[in-house]
Amino acid sequence: MQRAALFRAGDAQMAAGDLGELLVPYMPTIRVPKSGDRVYKTECAFSYDSPDSEGGLYVCMNTFLGFGREHIERHYRKTGQCVYLHLKRHVVEKVPGASGGALPKRRNAKLFLDLEISSDLNSDDFEYEDEAKLVIFPDHYEISLPNIEELPALVTIACDALLSAKSPYRKQEPDSWEEELQASKHAKTLVQLDNGVRIPPSGWKCSKCDLRENLWLNLTDGAVLCGKWFFDGSGGNGHAMEHYKETGYPLAVKLGTITPDGADVYSFDEEEPVLDPHIAKHLAHFGIDMLQMQVTENGLRDNDIKPRVSEWEVIQEAGVKLKPMYGPGYTGMKNLGNSCYLNAVMQAIFSIPEFQRAYVGNLPRIFDYSPLDPTQDFNTQMAKLGHGLLSGQYSKPPMKSELIEQVMKEEHKPQHNGISPRMFKAFISKGHPEFSSNRQQDAQEFFLHLINLVERNPVGSENPSDVFRFLVEERTQCCQSRKVRYTERVDYIMQLPVAMEAATNKDELIAYELKRREAEAARRPLPELVRAKIPFSACLQAFSEPSNVEDFWSSALQAKSAGVKTSRFASFPEYLVVQIKKFTFGLDWIPKKLDVSIDMPDFLDISHLRARGLQPGEEELPDIAPPIVIPDDPKALDIDESSVMQLAEMGFPLEACRKAVYYTGNLGAEVAFNWIIAHMEEPDFAEPLVIPAFGEVASSGAAALGAVGLDNQPPEEMVAIIISMGFQRNLAIQALKATNNNLERALEWIFSHPDPEEESDPALDTMDMENNANANILAETGSEGPRIKDGPGRYELFGFISHMGTSTMSGHYVCHLRKEGRWVIYNDLRVCASERPPKDLGYIYFYHRIPS
């Protein structure tokens, strides 16, 4: 490659000896990437431009941030940084006679090591040509690379280090990588034993321990064995790993994850989840046809077996030819490895006009006022994602004229269909123990996590999350005294229970269950699935009915009593999000999913659920706090498993629920819920409960607060207990400090000091700000109360998210949205017109208020 310096792509050349002099004024701004520096050489900080894009990518030689052609001038104006490394990948037609290969040949093997290979590129006809050059702003001088002998040593070292830097999304822990799964080195040469093993379509169990959960099929010898907790969070006895250690057979596929689109494959040798490009052939060796759910051209399946109505088939509309959709609002999102929950939620969020206006409508202002590192700014990344989904820039249909032109020019320009939300996921999940992992997550939990971040990062005068917020009135009644208490709380999701007892096809369900057990016992194929049909009206009725309050303490009786609670809407939101509570826990605490069909209505009227407040003739419960009993030995405290179950069914991690119940002294699910709200953003929120020895501080929050330099800081658990009784946080801390953290004496202190001092300790204010910075939005209050957009309770369905799989720890999410008068399916990168939207199988539904 000839060494040259071009002025605005002109023909004027500069002698190689002058290159060093040209760069001398900018040397203080050129840095060599060090360990820990994030080098963004694959993606623009403000858009989804990359070296594959038409304008390539400019990487700042000082901050190592990447910028597309549309955004590079903004960074230059804001920072004054002049020297950038311009990266561009060209795809050209191979010269006749050139050798082919499994992947396109790289001419510059040193460059762009982390760039992905286009899966739709015919490697026999095309190859890559990578190009790099230094560009000096504002005059756009270009210095081609890699002929850098005449450049200053610092520039040479900096360029080499930048080009060889690893992806910023790759972390130290193998199970926390944000990168797309890589093909296994064993996939192409895997040896499979011809031992006659054939795997039935169901009824599997571990050949060593009879376990029927978390089973893995070894792709060498066909052994079916249980796994251990290393990949998807499931439990097992580790027999699959033991088998690998005994035999050395490296690859296994998880049974139950095999679909026409692929399967979960793990490499014991490489110690990570991998891709197997030959998975169909490897499964066929053991009699498994992974495409058996698909319909052939004549409308019948090859093996002439009646199709099963599985979730995977119905929700993804398999077997139906779907028309791809392109243009603004029809952009797909790449699955980064179990990130479909994020894709589905964000597609739904950015179909809402308020979010479109807040982020995409304010995009120029957000970008202009973004911090120096926009990759770490929530509003910038939201605006970037919204623009990527709504602009149509990354969802263009192939044009015949463009294809002809490319052939004439011997150049291949790949279509930018879909975006890869790596930067967004890396930022939004940072510090979260679950979302930062590569494991499957609950879409409902991620929705609340997102709303939490929106609340904490205001953009403009209005907060777009206001459209989801509503007030819930809870009426609690003592069954013995008949006295009541009314309270209000903020919520963002209406959780509907599944009324299984109201199934309209009970006889069919009983018959199916008998046939299923017989088939499993005989190791025969399972009968055609029969799904419970639940009327929506029954679920709505179950929501409105009173529920028992566990461990209810009646202030009227000054003792524990039976209590019931009913919930009503004190306000109706602009957008109603309805979650069907399909996930529950079995007796073994393993999450289970109810596979049901619910006739969700297109039009919903919940006006009858409007709260009415204290009614004539009702008498309120006295405002008296329950006595607090703290055992002398903390280890002697038993954990109320019924309260733990109630919290877990709300979607909170099991270990967090156990800690909440323990730290609130078994005072019931409601008090424990308040503890969860106050602690759910802590790094160890979902870590297992460790009961401290006698005399130790039982609060991780207290330890964190000690780092702020505050002496005699009360344990956060005690503060949470007092707050849950209705007292202000400052008052709780003041009382505990005055009584040397004695809970009973602190309560007595509060009642004997009804008018605490108004002045607050500045250090205490600092602590409160630090401690409440990550407090969950459900506990939000203010001088004027929470922001709500009340109105009529009549709604129309415009979207729903569906889940396929047996639990939140595995499976796949798909989103359906109604746009321009028709339903559209968003299945990661695949965006198509929906022919059979499975509205009865959804998990989360989105309704918009009908104007009155």
Side-chain angles (χ1 to χ4, degrees), residues 46 74 77-78 362-371:
F46 293 108
R74 174 185 288 107
R77 292 194 306 268
K78 180 179 288 189
N362 287 323
L363 184 141
R365 183 180 64 83
I366 293 174
F367 283 2
D368 286 341
Y369 290 95
S370 64

Side-chain angles (χ1 to χ4, degrees), residues 136-450:
I136 304 176
F137 281 72
D139 296 323
H140 293 258
Y141 278 107
E142 297 179 356
I143 304 173
S144 297
L145 303 176
N147 290 354
I148 55 179
E149 293 85 353
E150 305 300 330
L151 296 178
L154 174 67
V155 178
T156 302
I157 295 171
C159 291
D160 185 65
L162 191 149
L163 292 173
S164 59
K166 297 296 183 182
S167 166
Y169 309 115
R170 181 169 296 178
K171 301 183 181 180
Q172 295 300 318
E173 299 81 15
D175 64 345
S176 298
W177 286 4
E178 301 296 336
E179 287 281 70
E180 179 75 2
L181 300 182
Q182 301 297 313
S184 171
K185 64 181 180 182
H186 300 288
K188 188 175 181 180
T189 59
L190 184 71
V191 175
Q192 294 188 281
L193 303 182
D194 190 11
N195 53 11
V197 172
R198 291 294 179 269
I199 305 301
S202 61
W204 318 294
K205 63 180 180 179
C206 177
S207 59
K208 291 189 177 180
C209 67
D210 290 341
L211 192 69
R212 295 181 180 270
E213 299 284 344
N214 189 26
L215 298 178
W216 295 78
L217 168 67
N218 191 287
L219 290 175
T220 296
D221 63 356
V224 176
L225 299 157
C226 63
K228 60 184 294 186
W229 196 98
F230 53 69
F231 175 39
D232 69 343
S234 299
N237 296 317
H239 290 137
M241 173 64 77
E242 291 179 7
H243 186 67
Y244 161 70
K245 292 178 179 179
E246 294 171 358
T247 63
Y249 301 155
L251 298 183
V253 60
K254 187 173 184 182
L255 294 173
T257 68
I258 302 170
T259 72
D261 297 321
D264 291 348
V265 181
Y266 189 84
S267 171
F268 297 105
D269 177 50
E270 296 158 282
E271 297 184 344
E272 63 179 346
V274 294
L275 293 178
D276 180 1
H278 309 285
I279 185 64
K281 181 183 74 172
H282 292 156
L283 290 173
H285 180 82
F286 299 109
I288 300 175
D289 180 7
M290 65 183 296
L291 302 179
Q292 63 180 336
M293 294 296 184
Q294 293 183 341
V295 179
T296 58
E297 292 182 358
N298 61 6
L300 298 175
R301 294 171 6 134
D302 293 334
N303 53 8
D304 216 15
I305 299 176
K306 187 176 181 180
R308 293 176 58 197
V309 287
S310 71
E311 283 183 315
W312 293 86
E313 180 183 23
V314 177
I315 292 176
Q316 297 187 101
E317 303 186 49
V320 180
K321 189 172 183 179
L322 302 179
K323 177 184 177 183
M325 303 287 285
Y326 300 98
Y330 299 105
T331 303
M333 297 174 66
K334 186 169 187 177
N335 193 322
L336 306 176
N338 287 330
S339 66
C340 52
Y341 66 92
L342 180 148
N343 295 349
V345 170
M346 298 315 300
Q347 292 284 9
I349 286 291
F350 276 111
S351 70
I352 296 174
E354 284 78 0
F355 279 85
Q356 296 173 0
R357 290 195 298 267
Y359 295 104
V360 183
N362 287 323
L363 184 141
R365 183 180 64 83
I366 293 174
F367 283 2
D368 286 341
Y369 290 95
S370 64
L372 292 180
D373 186 356
T375 67
Q376 301 303 303
D377 181 62
F378 176 76
N379 291 332
T380 300
Q381 293 308 309
M382 282 287 284
K384 169 184 171 178
L385 180 66
H387 180 265
L389 294 176
L390 301 174
S391 65
Q393 206 171 315
Y394 307 98
S395 178
K396 298 178 181 179
M399 303 291 291
K400 291 184 179 179
S401 58
E402 290 183 3
L403 294 175
I404 295 173
E405 182 182 359
Q406 291 173 22
V407 172
M408 296 293 292
K409 293 183 178 181
E410 297 184 351
E411 184 176 7
H412 175 82
K413 295 182 179 179
Q415 294 292 327
H416 291 284
N417 286 331
I419 59 178
S420 179
R422 280 193 177 87
M423 189 176 293
F424 179 79
K425 184 178 186 295
F427 172 75
I428 201 172
S429 62
K430 183 174 60 177
H432 193 284
E434 291 300 325
F435 300 134
S436 61
S437 74
N438 203 37
R439 298 186 292 272
Q440 186 61 277
Q441 304 298 330
D442 188 343
Q444 178 255 0
E445 290 184 11
F446 178 75
F447 172 81
L448 289 179
H449 175 68
L450 177 74

Side-chain angles (χ1 to χ4, degrees), residues 345-648:
V345 170
M346 298 315 300
Q347 292 284 9
I349 286 291
F350 276 111
S351 70
I352 296 174
E354 284 78 0
F355 279 85
Q356 296 173 0
R357 290 195 298 267
Y359 295 104
V360 183
N362 287 323
L363 184 141
R365 183 180 64 83
I366 293 174
F367 283 2
D368 286 341
Y369 290 95
S370 64
L372 292 180
D373 186 356
T375 67
Q376 301 303 303
D377 181 62
F378 176 76
N379 291 332
T380 300
Q381 293 308 309
M382 282 287 284
K384 169 184 171 178
L385 180 66
H387 180 265
L389 294 176
L390 301 174
S391 65
Q393 206 171 315
Y394 307 98
S395 178
K396 298 178 181 179
M399 303 291 291
K400 291 184 179 179
S401 58
E402 290 183 3
L403 294 175
I404 295 173
E405 182 182 359
Q406 291 173 22
V407 172
M408 296 293 292
K409 293 183 178 181
E410 297 184 351
E411 184 176 7
H412 175 82
K413 295 182 179 179
Q415 294 292 327
H416 291 284
N417 286 331
I419 59 178
S420 179
R422 280 193 177 87
M423 189 176 293
F424 179 79
K425 184 178 186 295
F427 172 75
I428 201 172
S429 62
K430 183 174 60 177
H432 193 284
E434 291 300 325
F435 300 134
S436 61
S437 74
N438 203 37
R439 298 186 292 272
Q440 186 61 277
Q441 304 298 330
D442 188 343
Q444 178 255 0
E445 290 184 11
F446 178 75
F447 172 81
L448 289 179
H449 175 68
L450 177 74
I451 297 303
N452 191 4
L453 292 174
V454 172
E455 290 282 340
R456 287 157 46 191
N457 296 272
V459 52
S461 58
E462 287 195 16
N463 195 316
S465 64
D466 291 352
V467 299
F468 297 123
R469 187 186 296 105
F470 59 92
L471 289 176
V472 177
E473 177 192 87
E474 292 187 337
R475 176 185 182 273
T476 306
Q477 183 175 35
C478 172
C479 295
Q480 189 169 342
S481 68
R482 311 304 295 173
K483 294 182 180 181
V484 298
R485 175 183 295 118
Y486 284 88
T487 58
E488 284 189 353
R489 61 176 173 85
V490 174
D491 212 335
Y492 293 80
I493 293 182
M494 179 187 188
Q495 294 184 313
L496 275 187
V498 177
M500 291 297 294
E501 68 281 357
T504 59
N505 58 339
K506 292 180 180 178
D507 292 340
E508 295 178 53
L509 291 172
I510 294 173
Y512 166 75
E513 184 63 22
L514 291 174
K515 292 180 181 179
R516 185 188 66 82
R517 292 180 180 179
E518 292 174 358
E520 283 188 352
R523 300 182 66 84
R524 296 195 309 267
L526 293 180
E528 181 179 337
L529 177 68
V530 176
R531 185 174 286 113
K533 297 179 180 178
I534 312 295
F536 172 77
S537 57
C539 298
L540 200 59
Q541 178 64 30
F543 171 84
S544 62
E545 288 179 349
S547 60
N548 293 326
V549 180
E550 298 290 338
D551 289 322
F552 174 70
W553 188 85
S554 171
S555 59
L557 304 175
Q558 296 284 297
K560 285 191 175 183
S561 173
V564 293
K565 181 172 66 175
T566 55
S567 299
R568 293 290 186 271
F569 286 84
S571 69
F572 290 120
E574 182 74 18
Y575 287 84
L576 179 66
V577 182
V578 179
Q579 176 199 13
I580 306 299
K581 297 176 67 174
K582 291 185 173 183
F583 296 104
T584 183
F585 286 88
L587 296 177
D588 52 4
W589 288 98
I590 295 177
K592 303 290 184 181
K593 180 180 173 183
L594 303 176
D595 190 2
V596 296
S597 169
I598 301 176
D599 58 336
M600 296 296 294
D602 289 322
F603 297 93
L604 174 62
D605 189 346
I606 56 174
S607 302
H608 64 286
L609 295 178
R610 170 77 73 171
R612 298 179 298 171
L614 187 68
Q615 296 297 297
E618 289 184 333
E619 185 178 353
E620 289 190 89
L621 284 163
D623 192 10
I624 301 175
I628 304 299
V629 179
I630 303 295
D632 294 333
D633 182 1
K635 292 189 176 182
L637 179 66
D638 292 329
I639 297 178
D640 180 11
E641 296 295 345
S642 62
S643 295
V644 174
M645 177 72 79
Q646 288 183 63
L647 296 169

Side-chain angles (χ1 to χ4, degrees), residues 3 15 22 29 139 146 219 285 464 488 527 674 714 728 738 771 832 852:
R3 188 162 51 247
L22 180 65
T29 67
D139 296 323
L219 290 175
H285 180 82
E488 284 189 353
N674 292 331
Q728 294 296 320
N771 199 54
C832 301
S852 55

Side-chain angles (χ1 to χ4, degrees), residues 753-797:
H753 294 74
D755 299 314
E757 299 178 7
E758 293 295 330
E759 296 182 5
S760 61
D761 183 356
L764 188 61
D765 292 339
T766 303
M767 180 277 299
D768 283 337
M769 190 163 54
E770 288 287 330
N771 199 54
N772 288 325
N774 294 330
N776 187 274
I777 48 181
L778 298 184
E780 175 194 347
T781 58
S783 57
E784 299 179 358
R787 303 180 306 274
I788 58 172
K789 295 188 174 183
D790 198 6
R794 296 184 299 276
Y795 297 91
E796 181 178 5
L797 181 69

